[in-house]
Amino acid sequence: MAQEPPEAEVDPRSTYTVFSGSAADDVAYAKVFWNSLSLQPPLESRLVSGDIKQRLRVAQAPGPGRCQVECCHCQPGQEDAKTKQLLIEAHMQLKADEKARLLEKAKKREEILELIRKQREERILKTGSPRGQQRG
C-alpha cells in the first residue's frame, strides 16, 4: 500500500487580498466595504419564499349570536349604559374645552389686530400721510 503524501497546510492568509503599502484609513474603508457585501442564497435554499402563502387565516371574532355560554360581554347591561354615558359626557367636555380654547385664541388675535390698526393710525397721524401716498 502506497501512502499518499500529506497535503501541505495552506496558509489562510494566502487566500485573502492584502493591502500592502496602503494607508491605514484605506485599509479600514476597504475592510468595511468588503464586509458589507454579502451574496443572497439561491431561491431554492431559502426557508421562506415570498410567493408562497404560509400564513394561517385570521380567526373571526365571535359575534353576539355565536356565544354559547352567557357571559358578561355578550349582553349589554346597566354598566355598559353608564360607561357609554360617561364617555359621551367626557367627549362633550373635551369639545367644550377645545371650543373655549379656540375662542380665546380668536379673541387674542382680534386684540392684536386692533392694536396693529391703532398703531398704524397713530403713525399715519404723526407723519401726515400714509406710506402709499408719499410718491403721489
Side-chain angles (χ1 to χ4, degrees), residues 18-76:
V18 178
F19 296 98
S20 61
S22 299
D25 289 342
D26 293 338
V27 172
Y29 289 133
K31 283 182 181 178
V32 169
F33 172 74
W34 287 111
N35 287 335
S36 68
L37 295 178
S38 64
L39 296 175
Q40 295 294 323
L43 184 62
E44 295 84 20
S45 68
R46 292 186 187 166
L47 295 176
V48 178
S49 178
D51 62 344
I52 299 174
K53 301 284 182 191
Q54 296 182 352
R55 294 187 137 198
L56 296 174
R57 287 180 282 153
V58 177
Q60 295 178 357
R66 294 185 184 165
C67 190
Q68 302 291 331
V69 180
E70 240 179 74
C71 54
C72 61
H73 67 275
C74 292
Q75 295 180 353

Side-chain angles (χ1 to χ4, degrees), residues 81-121:
K82 287 181 182 178
T83 304
K84 192 171 186 177
Q85 183 64 29
L86 182 66
L87 288 174
I88 290 171
E89 289 174 9
H91 181 67
M92 292 182 76
Q93 180 65 37
L94 285 174
K95 285 186 133 310
D97 292 346
E98 181 73 13
K99 185 176 181 179
R101 188 179 63 83
L102 290 174
L103 287 174
E104 187 67 31
K105 273 187 167 182
K107 183 179 176 184
K108 198 170 203 172
R109 181 178 181 270
E110 288 298 322
E111 290 173 359
I112 291 171
L113 288 174
E114 185 61 34
L115 180 64
I116 290 172
R117 283 188 205 106
K118 186 177 177 181
Q119 289 174 346
R120 181 173 181 258
E121 288 175 8

